Amino acid sequence: MSTVETEATTETLEKGGNNKSSSPRQIPVISVVTEDEAAQGLLKSMDLNRVVKLLEETDEGELEEKQLQTVKKLVQCYQNGFPLRDLSQIFKILNLCTGKIENQPQFLECVCDILKLCGLPFLKKKVSDEITYAEDTANSIALLGDLMRIPNSDLRIQICKCIVNFYHAEPPKKHITGYQQASSLYKIQMAEVGGLAKSMVQSMDLLENQLVEKLWVLKALQHLSTSEVNCTLMMKARAANEICVHLNDPDPSGQLLFRSSEILWNLLEKSSKEEIIQQLSNLECLLVLKEVFKNLFMRSYSHYDRQLRNDILVITTIVAQNPEAPMIESGFTQDLILFATFNEVKSQNPLVKGLKLTNSYEDFELKKLLFNIIVILCKDLSTIQLLVHGKVIMALFTYVKKPEKHKIIEWSAAQHEELQLHAIATLSSVAPLLIDEYMSCQGNALVLSFLEWCESEDPFLSHGNSFHGTGGRGNKFAQMRYSLRLLRAMVSLEEETINKDLCEKGTIKQLIGIFKNTISKPSEKEESIVLEIQSDILLILSGLCEHQIHRKELFGTEGVDIILHVMKTDPKKLQSGLGYNVLLFSTLDSIWCCILGCYPSEDYFLEKEGIFLLLDLLALNQKKFCNLILGIMVEFCDNPKTAAHVNAWRGKKDLTAASLLIKLWRKEEKELGVRRDKNGKIVDTKKPLFTSIQEEQKVMPLPANCPTVAVMDVAENVRAKIYAVLGKLDFENLPGLSAEDFVTLCIIHRYLDFKIGEIWNEIYEEVKLENLRPVSADANILEAITMASENIGKMVVSLQSEMIESQARQDVQNEQKMYTKIQATHKQRELATKSWENFLARTSNAKTLKKAKRLQEKAIESSRHYERPQNAMFHRTDIKGLNTTVFSGRVVTVESTPTHIIGGPLADTDLALKRLPIRGGALQKVKTVKTVDESKKSKRT
């Protein structure tokens, strides 16, 4: 706006404000936008400060008309949107106008027009305007929520429409010269900064019985709740509770329930889930949810209603996860159990009388959601009686049977399969809580019969489309997998009634047979599923056979064979992530529970080199397996045949079992931070076994029934088990040990003595901490025990020092032997070199050769025996006249021609028919050649 125009406007306003008696008065024209300017897209700004002052005046009369006309002109001026720089003043004008609506209703139209313009994109002259005016914009938009307090229906609706337009803004009809639109997300971000969502939630308290306004507010909140920031603000305003209590309010259009459920979903997803659940976990909200769900369940005729019903059930499921939610007190739990089972168990309850689910997708999802919420509800033990009354076990077992041909069912084949798997999975959670109902329904018999069908060759085209059906496409693996999970859950209860019933029905042999089938028919595609099945089978067998010798005998050699098969698995597969680790854990557990204690099975395990396989696994140095394997080794060593197998084992680089155990001991002590010197000797004779954790934790007085740190140390690492195994091997005649191993073995041998001394030291420290003074006799005994323990440590250190010194002397001796051997080798090389030099001298110089020959003949003559018996004939062995120094005689040794040249011994005497090779050399075997005479004879014949 030009300076001249501003001054003219100011003058006009001043004249109009001071001359009250002049009549008739002309209403001042403020920045009139001509048609030509509008067509060119020019924005004529106004002196908004003057407009504010005009609206702040309270004189009545013609001033009201002037104010109204001024606001209308402002609306006309900014018909293409508000610039960001003017926004603060415009919203101040809006606030002043809304304050006049109560006494001057004609201002309502102007206010609504301004709000409509607020729905258009804001305009910026500079790129930096969005940052420069961010605070003003945020405060201005926050004012919209404050204006909701004004008790005017049209105003409130228009404010909500304005907020909705933030998310669906229409571009201005004309481009404004010199201005650009602010980004589409700018308003949304400023609404977040200004806290608009919080004030909109608070405004719902003012709309108790005003349905239309409430629906518009919910629509605005639905859009606002798409942002995490807004959802957090709404959560702080307790929006979830406020919206939920009004879910069941009368609404013919159905929008209230739809928009409310959408907002609750957004709050659960984009804000603190725990806080939202807490807001909904009260009796009032659950009663409303119960009524809404019940109405939708009984009157869901359309696709939309069914979807909404399922959404409400999912929200209820999330709330039910809170153990403090009064699900039982509200009666919701009882209704949900009824709705979940009415199809399978006939009920006379009027709520479900005449109801029937269809095979539509929504009803199918509803059925799965009801199964799911039963699993959640059963975590509250107070629900058990309701589950019994609702016959949930009976309803779920209707799905645990093989599909019957030509039977009409309400679900499609794929749907029935998915519900079947879901029902069995639900039984795994519910059945352990309802043992009596499980047994009364013959649960074991039904599951075993179903497993028999799973193992059979009956044709069955499974779809494997669902989460529970993973890996079960075209086979029965999914059914077998969940059936075994159910059995595992029941066996893990250690209820003798269930286990006895299973064993009487031949479960052990049946499960071993299933395991063998999975081995004989491997499936690489479903390898992880097969491994899980095998793991569950072994865990079930472990639960059945534990502490039961008769059942271990039933497990027998067939069971041992499957265990040995698993133990022979390639160690590389343990890192594959497919489940081999779990299978190996299950296998080790089954060795403990199904083999140990049954001597025939133990002997068979030893015969099949089972101890070798255990030691092979131990040599892999997998910390997670070591404790369990060593525990099994300790128990196996009670069998007198075990020691020979342990001593006979050899690992890589001829490693022995004793050496392996000692290395594990050293590794364990290193990880525990036990102090040892570079040679492995004890450093502190008073605390030879102390770990770094024990050093950090000071001794504290504890009750008699609480184990101390020293006692807990026995169970928390493998040192005690290594001591037990080596103790059963008598610590003597252990093969393959090095000097370092013997040094460590001294400590292991005295482990029990050291541990006893350590515990007595703890007792002594606790007595001092409790300010108790033992009697003289007890004090003397304590001191004697402490001294004895320390003396044992000193004795072990002395023994270790002797071993180290002995080994050092042995090393020196070995080194000297090695040097002697090296020296002899060098001397031999020198003699060989000298002999070669003499040989060269004889061959290159005739005089030297003759001299050597004379010396040789002289040596020969001097060595001869000249006393000859009478009548004896003497034969000379040398040849005179030879100028050689080698020994020559009258006997000639002829080396035969190599066999591969002549084709073997000269057994064939027909040498006349052999042809000599052209290249010469030895005779070679060739084809016989007919002579001329022979060829003539053959012609005659």
Side-chain angles (χ1 to χ4, degrees):
M1 185 176 184
S2 65
T3 308
V4 178
E5 289 174 337
T6 305
E7 291 175 354
T9 305
T10 306
E11 270 183 44
T12 310
L13 284 171
E14 287 175 350
K15 289 176 183 179
N18 295 330
N19 189 11
K20 294 182 182 179
S21 59
S22 59
S23 179
R25 290 187 304 172
Q26 292 185 355
I27 298 173
V29 178
I30 302 175
S31 184
V32 178
V33 181
T34 63
E35 292 181 3
D36 295 337
E37 289 172 341
Q40 293 172 6
L42 298 174
L43 178 63
K44 288 288 186 178
S45 60
M46 298 179 63
D47 188 354
L48 298 178
N49 290 326
R50 287 290 179 182
V51 178
V52 170
K53 288 181 180 179
L54 179 64
L55 291 172
E56 286 175 346
E57 294 182 8
T58 56
D59 293 339
E60 298 180 358
E62 295 181 358
L63 181 63
E64 176 186 336
E65 184 67 23
K66 185 194 299 184
Q67 291 171 340
L68 195 61
Q69 289 299 325
T70 302
V71 175
K72 287 182 179 179
K73 293 298 181 182
L74 180 139
V75 171
Q76 185 180 6
C77 180
Y78 291 103
Q79 61 182 333
N80 289 315
F82 295 127
L84 288 174
R85 66 181 182 182
D86 297 337
L87 205 59
S88 177
Q89 292 289 77
I90 288 169
F91 269 83
K92 192 172 183 180
I93 293 169
L94 177 64
N95 192 27
L96 291 169
C97 290
T98 52
K100 297 177 179 292
I101 290 176
E102 187 176 358
N103 298 322
Q104 303 172 21
Q106 55 269 36
F107 272 95
L108 177 62
E109 182 181 354
C110 295
V111 170
C112 291
D113 290 339
I114 294 175
L115 289 172
K116 287 177 183 177
L117 294 177
C118 289
L120 296 175
F122 293 147
L123 303 175
K124 59 182 180 182
K125 199 161 190 176
K126 300 177 182 177
V127 176
S128 60
D129 282 357
E130 290 186 359
I131 300 172
T132 305
Y133 300 104
E135 185 178 355
D136 292 341
T137 307
N139 294 333
S140 301
I141 292 177
L143 184 64
L144 294 176
D146 297 334
L147 296 179
M148 290 294 293
R149 298 174 183 174
I150 297 174
N152 186 286
S153 177
D154 293 335
L155 174 63
R156 289 170 173 170
I157 291 172
Q158 189 58 52
I159 291 172
C160 294
K161 287 180 178 179
C162 176
I163 295 171
V164 171
N165 285 335
F166 288 179
Y167 296 84
H168 308 285
E170 296 181 3
K173 297 177 182 178
K174 300 181 182 64
H175 176 70
I176 308 302
T177 305
Y179 287 89
Q180 293 179 347
Q181 294 182 31
S183 63
S184 58
L185 296 176
Y186 184 68
K187 279 186 183 179
I188 299 172
Q189 292 171 353
M190 292 300 103
E192 293 173 358
V193 175
L196 177 61
K198 185 176 180 180
S199 55
M200 290 300 292
V201 172
Q202 293 169 347
S203 70
M204 291 190 68
D205 293 333
L206 309 172
L207 311 174
E208 195 63 35
N209 297 315
Q210 301 170 28
L211 179 60
V212 177
E213 298 170 28
K214 190 182 294 184
L215 291 176
W216 272 106
V217 171
L218 287 173
K219 185 174 182 179
L221 287 173
Q222 183 182 356
H223 285 80
L224 289 169
S225 65
T226 56
S227 158
E228 291 184 6
V229 176
N230 286 335
C231 284
T232 303
L233 293 169
M234 293 167 67
M235 176 195 71
K236 292 178 179 177
R238 296 187 60 79
N241 181 75
E242 185 68 30
I243 291 170
C244 185
V245 295
H246 295 290
L247 277 176
N248 209 27
D249 288 357
D251 174 29
S253 67
Q255 291 186 45
L256 186 145
L257 186 56
F258 165 70
R259 298 195 187 282
S260 299
S261 63
E262 183 75 16
I263 295 168
L264 289 176
W265 261 116
N266 290 339
L267 288 172
L268 285 167
E269 288 180 352
K270 298 179 180 179
S271 65
S272 173
K273 188 176 180 181
E274 293 75 18
E275 178 61 29
I276 299 300
I277 291 174
Q278 198 63 38
Q279 291 182 19
L280 297 175
S281 298
N282 57 71
L283 188 60
E284 185 181 9
C285 288
L286 286 173
L287 285 171
V288 173
L289 285 171
K290 170 190 167 185
E291 291 303 319
V292 169
F293 179 74
K294 191 190 301 183
N295 292 335
L296 288 170
F297 190 89
M298 294 188 293
R299 299 178 182 85
S300 294
Y301 304 115
S302 66
H303 173 78
Y304 165 78
D305 288 338
R306 289 170 182 161
Q307 279 189 333
L308 197 55
R309 171 198 65 192
N310 292 354
D311 289 345
I312 296 297
L313 182 55
V314 174
I315 294 171
T316 304
T317 303
I318 295 171
V319 176
Q321 293 175 0
N322 182 13
E324 298 177 1
M327 294 291 295
I328 298 175
E329 294 83 346
S330 64
F332 207 173
T333 298
Q334 186 173 357
D335 288 349
L336 288 170
I337 292 172
L338 173 66
F339 293 145
T341 59
F342 81 95
N343 251 23
E344 294 78 21
V345 179
K346 300 301 179 184
S347 174
Q348 299 302 320
N349 193 304
L351 287 176
V352 295
K353 195 171 183 180
L355 277 180
K356 190 174 182 181
L357 297 178
T358 65
N359 61 355
S360 64
Y361 176 77
E362 290 75 23
D363 284 351
F364 174 60
E365 287 295 316
L366 171 70
K367 193 68 178 177
K368 293 194 294 181
L369 288 171
L370 288 169
F371 282 167
N372 184 57
I373 201 169
I374 285 176
V375 174
I376 294 170
L377 292 173
C378 74
K379 293 177 182 178
D380 183 1
L381 297 181
S382 306
T383 314
I384 292 176
Q385 194 55 43
L386 295 175
L387 294 172
V388 173
H389 181 72
K391 300 180 180 178
V392 173
I393 296 293
M394 183 186 296
L396 293 172
F397 264 120
T398 58
Y399 292 92
V400 187
K401 56 186 178 182
K402 65 179 182 180
E404 299 178 11
K405 296 179 180 179
H406 311 300
K407 183 178 180 180
I408 300 174
I409 56 175
E410 55 191 353
W411 306 106
S412 67
Q415 288 175 335
H416 183 268
E417 179 192 349
E418 191 169 344
L419 289 176
Q420 182 185 63
L421 295 172
H422 209 138
I424 299 172
T426 306
L427 275 170
S428 300
S429 300
V430 179
L433 303 173
L434 307 172
I435 296 174
D436 294 338
E437 283 66 30
Y438 177 84
M439 295 303 293
S440 65
C441 291
Q442 296 294 319
N444 286 337
L446 290 172
V447 176
L448 292 175
S449 175
F450 190 67
L451 272 175
E452 189 177 348
W453 171 77
C454 292
E455 190 186 5
S456 67
E457 299 293 336
D458 291 352
F460 176 70
L461 186 61
S462 63
H463 296 77
N465 296 325
S466 65
F467 166 78
H468 294 94
T470 304
R473 191 169 186 83
N475 53 54
K476 305 171 190 172
F477 282 154
Q479 286 79 2
M480 184 182 293
R481 176 191 191 187
Y482 281 94
S483 300
L484 289 170
R485 279 191 189 179
L486 173 56
L487 278 183
R488 187 188 70 189
M490 300 309 297
V491 170
S492 64
L493 297 173
E494 298 182 2
E495 184 68 31
E496 186 55 28
T497 308
I498 297 173
N499 293 353
K500 184 179 179 182
D501 183 58
L502 283 170
C503 292
E504 289 174 352
K505 289 180 168 56
T507 305
I508 294 175
K509 293 296 181 184
Q510 184 176 349
L511 292 179
I512 291 173
I514 294 173
F515 198 104
K516 285 184 174 180
N517 283 342
T518 59
I519 294 172
S520 61
K521 300 175 182 177
S523 176
E524 293 183 2
K525 291 183 179 179
E526 316 300 342
E527 188 174 4
S528 59
I529 307 298
V530 173
L531 291 174
E532 184 182 342
I533 289 171
Q534 292 175 345
S535 300
D536 286 341
I537 288 174
L538 291 176
L539 289 173
I540 294 167
L541 291 171
S542 298
L544 292 174
C545 297
E546 190 174 13
H547 309 307
Q548 300 290 332
I549 298 297
H550 173 64
R551 296 174 190 172
K552 291 181 180 181
E553 292 173 353
L554 289 176
F555 185 78
T557 57
E558 290 185 355
V560 175
D561 286 335
I562 62 175
I563 287 175
L564 293 170
H565 174 82
V566 176
M567 293 178 69
K568 292 175 183 176
T569 303
D570 185 359
K572 294 178 182 178
K573 292 184 177 180
L574 295 176
Q575 311 299 330
S576 65
L578 294 173
Y580 281 98
N581 280 336
V582 178
L583 178 60
L584 187 54
F585 271 119
S586 304
T587 305
L588 295 174
D589 185 57
S590 60
I591 293 174
W592 197 297
C593 298
C594 302
I595 296 177
L596 288 171
C598 180
Y599 295 121
S601 296
E602 284 186 11
D603 291 344
Y604 185 74
F605 184 82
L606 292 171
E607 288 173 13
K608 294 296 182 178
E609 300 182 348
I611 288 294
F612 289 179
L613 296 173
L614 276 176
L615 289 168
D616 288 339
L617 290 174
L618 191 61
L620 294 176
N621 209 4
Q622 298 274 346
K623 189 172 179 63
K624 51 194 171 186
F625 298 126
C626 286
N627 207 342
L628 191 54
I629 294 172
L630 287 170
I632 294 169
M633 292 286 296
V634 171
E635 296 297 325
F636 251 113
C637 284
D638 288 337
N639 190 319
K641 299 178 182 178
T642 304
H645 287 262
V646 174
N647 289 327
W649 177 83
R650 293 293 181 273
K652 292 181 179 178
K653 298 181 181 179
D654 207 28
L655 181 70
T656 63
S659 181
L660 172 63
L661 293 172
I662 293 170
K663 284 181 179 178
L664 286 175
W665 176 285
R666 283 199 294 268
K667 180 186 176 186
E668 187 75 9
E669 287 199 329
K670 186 177 180 181
E671 292 176 355
L672 293 172
V674 181
R675 290 197 297 163
R676 299 280 185 260
D677 69 1
K678 62 179 182 179
N679 296 316
K681 289 169 53 181
I682 295 172
V683 175
D684 188 353
T685 55
K686 291 182 179 180
K687 301 174 182 178
L689 298 178
F690 253 47
T691 64
S692 58
I693 297 174
Q694 288 176 281
E695 294 281 358
E696 293 170 2
Q697 293 179 349
K698 295 181 180 179
V699 177
M700 297 174 59
L702 295 171
N705 60 347
C706 292
T708 63
V709 178
V711 175
M712 289 299 296
D713 175 73
V714 175
E716 289 175 350
N717 56 70
V718 299
R719 291 190 294 179
K721 293 183 176 66
I722 293 173
Y723 165 76
V725 174
L726 291 174
K728 291 185 178 183
L729 297 176
D730 294 331
F731 288 106
E732 295 179 0
N733 301 323
L734 298 176
L737 299 186
S738 63
E740 185 183 11
D741 293 339
F742 278 112
V743 170
T744 307
L745 188 62
C746 291
I747 302 173
I748 301 173
H749 192 208
R750 289 293 184 174
Y751 172 79
L752 187 58
D753 296 328
F754 290 149
K755 184 56 67 175
I756 291 171
E758 191 179 306
I759 293 170
W760 276 110
N761 281 331
E762 279 190 344
I763 294 170
Y764 185 60
E765 293 294 330
E766 286 185 20
V767 168
K768 288 198 297 184
L769 286 171
E770 292 177 353
N771 296 322
L772 298 175
R773 191 178 67 180
V775 297
S776 300
D778 289 344
N780 293 334
I781 292 171
L782 277 173
E783 187 176 355
I785 291 171
T786 305
M787 289 299 297
S789 176
E790 187 175 353
N791 289 335
I792 291 172
K794 290 178 180 178
M795 182 185 68
V796 170
V797 171
S798 175
L799 182 59
Q800 288 177 321
S801 299
E802 288 180 8
M803 287 182 175
I804 293 169
E805 290 173 4
S806 175
Q807 181 62 32
R809 288 194 297 270
Q810 184 65 38
D811 290 342
V812 170
Q813 291 176 5
N814 292 337
E815 188 176 355
Q816 289 176 348
K817 288 180 181 179
M818 180 57 66
Y819 281 130
T820 304
K821 187 176 180 180
I822 293 171
Q823 188 177 5
T825 303
H826 279 289
K827 189 173 182 180
Q828 186 66 29
R829 287 178 181 173
E830 289 175 1
L831 292 173
T833 303
K834 190 174 181 181
S835 175
W836 176 250
E837 289 174 354
N838 291 334
F839 174 75
L840 289 178
R842 292 196 306 269
T843 55
S844 59
N845 192 331
K847 292 181 180 180
T848 306
L849 178 61
K850 291 177 181 179
K851 183 178 179 181
K853 180 65 175 177
R854 286 194 300 270
L855 290 173
Q856 183 184 37
E857 289 176 350
K858 186 177 180 181
I860 292 171
E861 287 297 327
S862 64
S863 66
R864 285 176 176 168
H865 184 67
Y866 287 96
E867 293 181 3
R868 302 173 185 170
Q870 294 181 356
N871 303 323
M873 187 177 293
F874 177 72
H875 300 279
R876 294 186 63 87
T877 59
D878 56 341
I879 304 173
K880 290 186 176 182
L882 292 180
N883 292 325
T884 61
T885 55
V886 297
F887 292 101
S888 302
R890 298 180 183 277
V891 179
V892 179
T893 302
V894 179
E895 292 185 0
S896 177
T897 306
T899 307
H900 69 273
I901 296 177
I902 63 174
L906 299 175
D908 190 356
T909 57
D910 192 10
L911 294 177
L913 301 179
K914 305 296 181 184
R915 183 187 299 171
L916 290 174
I918 297 172
R919 65 178 179 272
L923 291 173
Q924 293 185 349
K925 191 172 182 179
V926 295
K927 294 180 181 179
T928 56
V929 181
K930 291 183 179 181
T931 60
V932 179
D933 295 336
E934 286 180 353
S935 61
K936 288 180 180 180
K937 289 178 183 178
S938 61
K939 285 181 181 180
R940 289 172 187 172
T941 54

